[in-house]
Amino acid sequence: MTVTPVKNTEDPRVKRTRQLLRQAFDALLAEKPFEAISVQDITERATVNRGTFYAHYQDKFDLADRAAREVFQRHLTGTVQVTSPLTEDTLQRLCLAVFDFLVKTYGHCKLDRQLEALLERAMYEVLSGFIADWLGQDTRDTRARRPTLAITAQTISSAFIGAGLRWIRDQRTCPAAELAQQIVAILAPGVLDGARRLQ
């Protein structure tokens, strides 16, 4: 039986190769739709062979998914620290971070249905995890409260991402800050009260 070696993601060569592949993929996305991009296109642009690509990613969907999750996670943590207190202000900042990410992504990439569905799922899962960590930071016996944390995190994520996507598709008819304020005004009473009860 052959065992596939696990890549050491801290190895500088691994990081460099992944960076080349992601830069190539990112450049191609600015030029044509996701469905028109092949692994061959990515490897040619990155000047690596197909074997190297498959040593790091299963396919272009895997590359897109992992890249989206990592970039979005960095974007969120650069805006709101999970150690910040949960307030209307921090909820608004988090909502605006989601909108900002959507603006940058939709403005840069040629999104087709495949990539849009992949991106939405990745954003939803990353944001839900981020919010659950944030809400659970000061709770005791988090395991017992995990279902409530998960439901609250999923509700906030759905509201932020759903409203952000509608706002993008409607050509951003109102300022992002105004929309974020409206969404948080609806969510905050229940979220803040629920968070207090979890503590």
Side-chain angles (χ1 to χ4, degrees):
M1 183 167 101
T2 307
V3 177
T4 306
V6 177
K7 287 276 178 197
N8 177 4
T9 55
E10 298 305 312
D11 185 327
R13 292 168 298 175
V14 171
K15 288 183 174 180
R16 192 166 41 253
T17 301
R18 287 188 177 170
Q19 184 178 19
L20 281 172
L21 289 166
R22 289 187 184 184
Q23 286 173 342
F25 178 63
D26 196 45
L28 287 162
L29 275 177
E31 298 169 11
K32 54 186 177 179
F34 178 71
E35 64 186 9
I37 297 172
S38 67
V39 169
Q40 185 70 34
D41 293 332
I42 298 166
T43 56
E44 285 178 2
R45 182 68 64 97
T47 63
V48 301
N49 62 46
R50 288 171 63 89
T52 300
F53 178 92
Y54 289 115
H56 294 274
Y57 302 104
Q58 295 175 9
D59 50 31
K60 69 176 186 177
F61 296 94
D62 183 33
L63 167 57
D65 181 68
R66 288 206 254 167
R69 287 170 190 271
E70 287 177 22
V71 171
F72 188 45
Q73 183 73 43
R74 276 199 310 269
H75 185 75
L76 294 178
T77 54
T79 306
V80 177
Q81 299 298 316
V82 292
T83 54
S84 301
L86 179 63
T87 63
E88 286 194 35
D89 179 61
T90 50
L91 278 173
Q92 280 184 36
R93 280 194 281 137
L94 186 61
C95 187
L96 284 169
V98 172
F99 294 173
D100 183 54
F101 185 79
L102 286 168
V103 168
K104 288 176 180 171
T105 303
Y106 276 68
H108 170 73
C109 303
K110 297 182 182 299
L111 292 177
D112 54 31
R113 287 184 183 175
Q114 288 181 327
L115 186 57
E116 193 167 345
L118 183 151
L119 179 64
E120 285 177 33
R121 184 179 64 250
M123 285 182 66
Y124 177 78
E125 290 175 6
V126 168
L127 185 58
S128 292
F130 181 88
I131 294 169
D133 288 345
W134 189 22
L135 294 175
Q137 67 178 328
D138 292 326
T139 63
R140 294 189 191 126
D141 192 16
T142 303
R143 191 181 315 161
R145 295 177 168 99
R146 198 168 290 151
T148 305
L149 289 174
I151 290 166
T152 304
Q154 290 162 7
T155 301
I156 297 169
S157 298
S158 295
F160 288 1
I161 294 170
L165 288 168
R166 171 56 58 197
W167 176 69
I168 289 282
R169 291 172 185 142
D170 289 345
Q171 307 300 313
R172 296 185 258 164
T173 52
C174 71
E178 183 181 315
L179 180 58
Q181 190 173 25
Q182 290 172 13
I183 295 164
V184 170
I186 294 166
L187 290 176
V191 169
L192 296 175
D193 182 56
R196 277 191 292 270
R197 278 183 288 175
L198 284 169
Q199 292 175 348

